[in-house]
Amino acid sequence: MPLVDFFCETCSKPWLVGWWDQFKRMLNRELTHLSEMSRSGNQVSEYISTTFLDKQNEVEIPLPTMKDGEKQQASWQRPSQQPPPPGPQFQPMSQITGVKKLTHSSSLTDCSIPRFGVKTDQEDLLAQELENLNKWGLNIFRVSDYAGGRSLSCIMYAIFQERDLLKKFRIPVDTMVTYMLTLEDHYHQDVAYHNSLHAADVLQSTHVLLATPALDAVFTDQEILAALFAAAIHDVDHPGVSNQFLINTNSELALMYNDESVLENHHLAVGFKLLQEDNCDIFQNLSKRQRQSLRKMVIDMVLATDMSKHMTLLADLKTMVETKKVTSSGVLLLDNYSDRIQVLRNMVHCADLSNPTKPLELYRQWTDRIMAEFFQQGDRERERGMEISPMCDKHTASVEKSQVGFIDYIVHPLWETWADLVHPDAQEILDTLEDNRDWYYSAIQQSPSPPPEEDPGGPGHPSPHDKFQFELTLEEEEEEGAASSALGAFEVQELSTAQYAFPPEEVLEDDGQDTSAEVEEVEEMSLTQQADSVASGQDESTSPDASMDPVVCRNPPESLPLPALRTPPTPEEAPGLLGLPSMVAEVGAQKEHQAARRACCACTGTTSENPPTLPSPGGWESAGDPI
């Protein structure tokens, strides 16, 4: 490939550097705009910024303004909620915490080891489920049920047998079973998400990704062993809270690892420490050089699961995609260790972020689990008088918006780049991801918004009814539609992607003005229209429109277009970056939305030039219009 292809023709900067700078600027702009839209939008934006961006890629998110009443309440509540100062700790810092003494090996012999490494009275059902071991979307929840809660041990044993790793590395079967049972016991079952079930899912996903045709025969047996071992131990002894929580609470782990990848370092320490337990060293027959090499690779891969390293991993993967070389048979050519370990790092990272790419019924279960864990952390922070972390406040977090933002800004760019690397092997996975994103986007409009903490009208001024909020919103949209048609191209430049990706949480914004007069005007207009229709001599019993309310649209469009990730880029008009909705797609969605609304208004017998204000019938809300 000519060297000039790597440089921009206008600024002479390396092309990939220019792409990465553009991506960061765009992400900064989108997250900032998203944070200004609503309280839940601010939470999603802050969560993405604090979780997936390292210090070099921080995005400044404006903090939500705190009302005077909230400030006063916080000022007198916080001191009483401060936890007492911790007492002296005499435990030596060099000791690895979380390791328990267990005795799994005393009753194990080669003859007594079950077929799938775990004791179960539903072996036939388990065998039937494990027929999908090599397929994407294995139902790990059913595997856990049939394996007596030992999903990690079962999956680990089945994969090692499937790949013949026990024979290749001379791993004694009883040692293998002892280690994986001990490892699973060090995952906390009272943690909603980061437990052995998640580890089993990541392990099985890594196993499938290793078998992708584009990576056929690329990795050595030792590299495969390291990747599977890393996936199995990557969250062991997870306490169910984030790195930032441990840092903010001055935990022993944060002090031990100097606030750097605290949990990831701890998972590695526990995973390797367990190899020293009785009959647990599954690498006992590896040479010293092999053990050192394997340990280095495992450390590299598990540290890459620190979500703050996400953007760096994505940039490296994008670079590899743009410079990749393939053989005549379409297999990736990774002829040096640096390239292979980079792919393995991203592979385990993709497996760790694979929940949104699984069938919807599985994805929704994972979503319920991660949100439950977030809310438990939020409750602990509230009890301590700490600031509640983004997406951890069960009173204000929007589950649907969080998943749409998570996919748009994190998961889709990653998986889209991975799909480019192994093209066309991951296209089906990418399609499932986009379908799931559309499902959660449509669910945003049907889920209730978190209740406001204060009445917008203040004491003595009840908030307007939902119907009138919708009426006023339609009037505002008509004015905006007329203005947008006059501005033309200016709208294409200024329209923000996040405006339609996240419908506003509050339909009627209260700027401190009394809305009661406007509500009365709307009511008076509705009554006047009804009186006019009666005075004109219309007989409701014989009129063909007798069943139709004169100001209510009874036949709204069944569905409204949604802005989708799969919108093909339009040439010459700001196509947007890969993995994120383009501005052109959003303008088109807005125009289609206005057309649908005019068609809806036409059924009342009025012209689209002066459509009546429409109340909010149930059929319209369920059709998907953002309210």
Side-chain angles (χ1 to χ4, degrees), residues 406-408 410-417 430 433-434 565 579:
F406 181 48
I407 292 175
D408 282 353
I410 302 301
V411 182
H412 192 275
L414 175 66
W415 274 99
E416 188 175 47
T417 309
L430 198 60
L433 171 63
E434 292 166 347
L565 286 170

Side-chain angles (χ1 to χ4, degrees), residues 39 63-76 78 396 450-459 505-506 508-512:
R39 180 183 304 171
L63 296 177
T65 57
M66 184 179 293
K67 301 177 182 179
D68 294 338
E70 294 175 342
K71 292 180 180 178
Q72 184 177 0
Q73 184 180 11
S75 63
W76 64 264
R78 188 168 292 115
T396 61
E453 295 187 5
E454 290 187 13
D455 193 323
E505 185 179 46
E506 298 180 4
L508 183 61
E509 296 292 341
D510 183 13
D511 296 328

Side-chain angles (χ1 to χ4, degrees), residues 495-524:
L495 183 63
S496 171
T497 306
Q499 182 176 356
Y500 285 88
F502 296 89
E505 185 179 46
E506 298 180 4
V507 178
L508 183 61
E509 296 292 341
D510 183 13
D511 296 328
Q513 300 177 358
D514 188 0
T515 60
S516 59
E518 296 176 341
V519 174
E520 291 175 0
E521 291 178 6
V522 174
E523 291 176 338
E524 183 178 353

Side-chain angles (χ1 to χ4, degrees), residues 170-219:
R170 295 175 295 158
I171 302 174
V173 179
D174 63 318
T175 303
M176 179 69 195
V177 173
T178 302
Y179 178 79
M180 63 190 195
L181 291 175
T182 304
L183 176 67
E184 185 154 22
D185 283 337
H186 282 78
Y187 277 91
H188 300 181
Q189 297 310 310
D190 58 343
V191 172
Y193 180 85
H194 289 101
N195 49 41
S196 61
L197 196 63
H198 167 66
D201 181 60
V202 174
L203 174 59
Q204 191 266 340
S205 299
T206 302
H207 165 66
V208 176
L209 293 178
L210 282 167
T212 190
L215 299 175
D216 182 42
V218 168
F219 302 110

Side-chain angles (χ1 to χ4, degrees), residues 21 27 65 92 140 203 289 291 337 440 604 620:
D21 290 342
L27 183 62
T65 57
I140 199 67
L203 174 59
R289 184 172 182 178
R291 290 181 70 107
Y337 171 78
Y440 267 103
T604 65
W620 181 275

